Amino acid sequence: MAKRLRKHMLNGRTALIVEEEFLIALDVQRMLETLGVGQTLFARTPAEAEQLRARWPEIAIAIIEARMGDALSLQLAQSLAAARVPTVLTTSDLDVQRDFADRPDLPIVVKPVPEDALAEAVRQALAVSTPRTSDWSW
């Protein structure tokens, strides 16, 4: 993807990063800045992200850390999809990647997060116009 197109992908809009490890969250923020993100909201847990619910309408993309069996992260992803917030999962758990391989509305990037892979996942999430939430389960 051309760097010029990347810079305008998020067009100064807001991103939500849900990541337990602060240094990883900062790295994801840096990558999103190359895609043109304006403001970044941080949450260490799905519960903290829920506390930001009033700000969800302004969120252009959500990046959520997911682990297999982590029902709260999945529930958060479902809630964001219902609110029409494009979402990308990041994980170091290959089972998560396998279980959602057929979900174009929920792109997954395996940690450590490569910048090109995150950019492609964001592009993919933004391109999906109607998220499916009816068949989400782990």
Side-chain angles (χ1 to χ4, degrees):
M1 182 178 321
K3 286 189 181 215
R4 186 176 54 103
L5 292 175
R6 279 183 168 195
K7 190 68 176 170
H8 299 289
M9 190 181 300
L10 293 172
N11 249 353
R13 295 179 61 209
T14 301
L16 170 65
I17 299 172
V18 183
E19 170 63 55
E20 186 177 4
E21 297 293 330
F22 189 66
L23 291 177
I24 294 173
L26 287 176
D27 194 39
V28 171
Q29 177 189 30
R30 180 196 55 77
M31 290 182 221
L32 292 176
E33 286 172 351
T34 67
L35 302 178
V37 77
Q39 182 179 21
T40 304
L41 305 174
F42 293 98
R44 290 174 299 192
T45 65
E48 285 183 10
E50 287 286 347
Q51 292 173 356
L52 298 169
R53 188 177 278 272
R55 301 211 43 204
W56 287 10
E58 69 191 73
I59 295 173
I61 191 76
I63 312 295
I64 302 173
E65 174 186 28
R67 294 181 193 99
M68 198 57 158
D70 180 2
L72 294 177
S73 290
L74 180 62
Q75 186 177 23
L76 175 62
Q78 240 179 326
S79 295
L80 286 163
R84 299 234 187 268
V85 176
T87 301
V88 172
L89 295 181
T90 62
T91 189
S92 53
D93 187 337
L94 295 180
D95 288 335
V96 171
Q97 184 183 28
R98 279 192 291 273
D99 285 355
F100 290 96
D102 64 340
R103 298 288 306 272
D105 58 323
L106 191 63
I108 298 175
V109 179
V110 176
K111 292 178 179 182
V113 178
E115 193 162 345
D116 286 341
L118 182 65
E120 177 56 27
V122 168
R123 186 206 57 76
Q124 184 179 351
L126 293 173
V128 177
S129 60
T130 308
R132 298 181 328 195
T133 59
S134 59
D135 60 347
W136 289 32
S137 63
W138 282 8

